[in-house]
Amino acid sequence: MTEERVSRIERETGETNISLDLAIDGTGKGTINTQVPFLTHMLELFKKHGFFDLTVEGKGDVEVDDHHLTEDIGICLGRALREALLDKAGIKRYGSFSLPMDETLVTVAVDLSDRPHLEWKAELPAAKVGTFDTENVHEFFWKLALEARMNLHIVVHHGTNTHHIIEAIFKATARALDEATQIDPRIQGIMSTKGSL
């Protein structure tokens, strides 16, 4: 593999200011700085368990609420993933992972198909974790799937602790993406009978 699978995304609006660097073939390094502590924690888990090098600097109108910053970081991460995958030649394309966390079990499956879709089968028992509005989790993953142009299926089989459920979703998504983005030497060109995604 000659080209590095890296990208840098910058997004500045009237609501947020974000810079994000992603290296797919990493080791889980990088610094996450957002004004949303729970989201920062989840992104730390995402990069560690996906073996992605990820640096995020994000500021936004959190005095309103966490929605805009959470959504826009999802947009930036999705765009970064899509750009870093280049032409997708040689990648496995599909990935899935079932992750247990105490009483919780989550399965995430992805297809880096260039067709965006989020299938969300996840009930979050609590409306907040600390100060974080948990409805923003769906918004984050919908924008991630949309901007990465991938199929993303998230299924919570069972779980009662909202923190555990959300953490398992982030970790399982990272693991599924780690699998889907891997280069397989058996794959010649694009993993599709159509010859393109």
Side-chain angles (χ1 to χ4, degrees):
M1 184 172 57
T2 55
E3 285 189 87
E4 280 191 294
R5 298 194 298 169
V6 299
S7 62
R8 178 176 179 83
I9 301 295
E10 295 186 345
R11 177 180 173 85
E12 185 171 359
T13 73
E15 298 167 341
T16 64
N17 188 345
I18 298 161
S19 62
L20 185 150
D21 292 275
L22 173 69
I24 290 176
D25 305 301
T27 58
K29 298 182 299 185
T31 303
I32 311 292
N33 287 316
T34 80
Q35 295 172 301
V36 182
F38 185 75
L39 180 61
T40 297
H41 178 45
M42 292 301 110
L43 292 172
E44 291 280 1
L45 298 170
F46 178 86
K47 71 180 176 68
K48 178 74 172 179
H49 289 270
F51 300 97
F52 304 119
D53 289 348
L54 178 65
T55 296
V56 180
E57 293 286 340
K59 296 179 181 178
D61 57 353
V62 293
E63 70 279 359
V64 176
D65 66 11
D66 297 338
H67 178 94
H68 294 141
L69 190 56
T70 303
E71 177 183 34
D72 284 11
I73 289 174
I75 289 171
C76 291
L77 183 57
R79 288 181 183 170
L81 182 62
R82 187 179 182 199
E83 285 189 12
L85 284 170
L86 305 170
D87 62 1
K88 299 183 180 177
I91 66 165
K92 289 184 176 181
R93 176 181 164 181
Y94 298 100
S96 65
F97 200 83
S98 290
L99 191 137
M101 185 170 180
D102 297 346
E103 87 298 342
T104 295
L105 179 64
V106 169
T107 295
V108 172
V110 302
D111 175 10
L112 298 172
S113 61
D114 213 32
R115 295 189 306 275
H117 180 79
L118 173 65
E119 195 66 29
W120 177 264
K121 304 295 185 188
E123 290 187 18
L124 302 177
K128 283 184 177 291
V129 175
T131 60
F132 183 78
D133 292 321
T134 58
E135 67 179 9
N136 290 330
V137 179
H138 176 274
E139 198 67 26
F140 176 90
F141 283 102
W142 165 228
K143 292 311 190 301
L144 175 67
L146 184 66
E147 295 295 334
R149 296 191 61 82
M150 66 178 172
N151 274 205
L152 176 59
H153 290 244
I154 296 172
V155 180
V156 177
H157 301 287
H158 46 259
T160 56
N161 182 290
T162 303
H163 189 133
H164 290 169
I165 293 169
I166 297 171
E167 185 166 329
I169 290 171
F170 272 86
K171 287 178 177 177
T173 302
R175 291 290 181 123
L177 281 170
D178 178 50
E179 180 181 4
T181 58
Q182 290 299 307
I183 300 291
D184 187 329
R186 298 173 298 174
I187 299 170
Q188 300 299 307
I190 303 298
M191 189 62 180
S192 171
T193 55
K194 298 192 295 287
S196 65
L197 295 173

